[in-house]
């Protein structure tokens, strides 16, 4: 079983920055894709960014050029650097990863961007 825990959320003004972290622990075999999704109030969960074990990345159009995903394979961690934040980035951000054919999710961390 793998546990996934996000951290780093909070309240920030528009134009500001936050860095989210996600740590995977437990019985880990070989983590493949890691990523971030978000869910704003009243909306469906949506993809923010993904990163493969080799470092290839994919971003939602809405965050390209502002957000950067990275990972530390030795520490089983993934990060999301968020710059130039906008009020529409307000959401609960969830970390997800694949390990040994299983998909795991964290409980989320709230990011609130004030205008």
């Amino acid at each position: 079983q793998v546990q996934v825990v996000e951290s780093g959320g909070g309240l920030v003004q528009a134009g500001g920055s936050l860095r989210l972290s996600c740590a995977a622990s437990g019985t880990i075999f070989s983590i493949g894709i890691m990523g971030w999704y978000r869910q704003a109030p009243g909306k469906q969960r949506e993809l923010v960014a993904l990163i493969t074990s080799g470092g290839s990345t994919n971003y939602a159009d809405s965050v390209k050029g502002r957000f950067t995903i990275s990972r530390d394979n030795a520490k089983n961690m993934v990060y999301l650097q968020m710059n130039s934040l906008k009020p529409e980035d307000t959401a609960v951000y969830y970390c997800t990863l694949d390990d040994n054919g299983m998909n795991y999710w964290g409980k989320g961390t709230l990011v609130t961007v004030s205008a």
Side-chain angles (χ1 to χ4, degrees), residues 5-7 9 27 32-33 43 46 50 55 84 86 97 101 106 111 115:
V5 179
E6 305 95 337
S7 61
T27 304
I33 292 176
K43 295 188 176 181
E46 63 177 5
L50 296 173
S84 301
K86 304 175 181 179
L97 60 91
V111 172

Side-chain angles (χ1 to χ4, degrees), residues 50-109:
L50 296 173
I51 185 168
T52 68
S53 57
S56 297
T57 58
N58 184 39
Y59 295 93
D61 288 343
S62 59
V63 306
K64 282 181 181 177
R66 300 189 298 122
F67 291 10
T68 302
I69 189 171
S70 62
R71 64 189 283 171
D72 185 330
N73 291 331
K75 295 182 179 179
N76 295 319
M77 294 194 69
V78 62
Y79 308 95
L80 187 68
Q81 178 66 44
M82 305 185 294
N83 298 328
S84 301
L85 282 161
K86 304 175 181 179
E88 51 264 44
D89 294 318
T90 295
V92 177
Y93 284 71
Y94 297 91
C95 176
T96 183
L97 60 91
D98 292 337
D99 177 65
N100 198 34
M102 298 289 290
N103 181 237
Y104 298 93
W105 290 83
K107 293 183 178 181
T109 185

Side-chain angles (χ1 to χ4, degrees), residues 12-28:
V12 63
Q13 289 187 331
S17 298
L18 280 176
R19 187 190 193 216
L20 304 184
S21 299
C22 171
S25 62
T27 304
I28 295 171

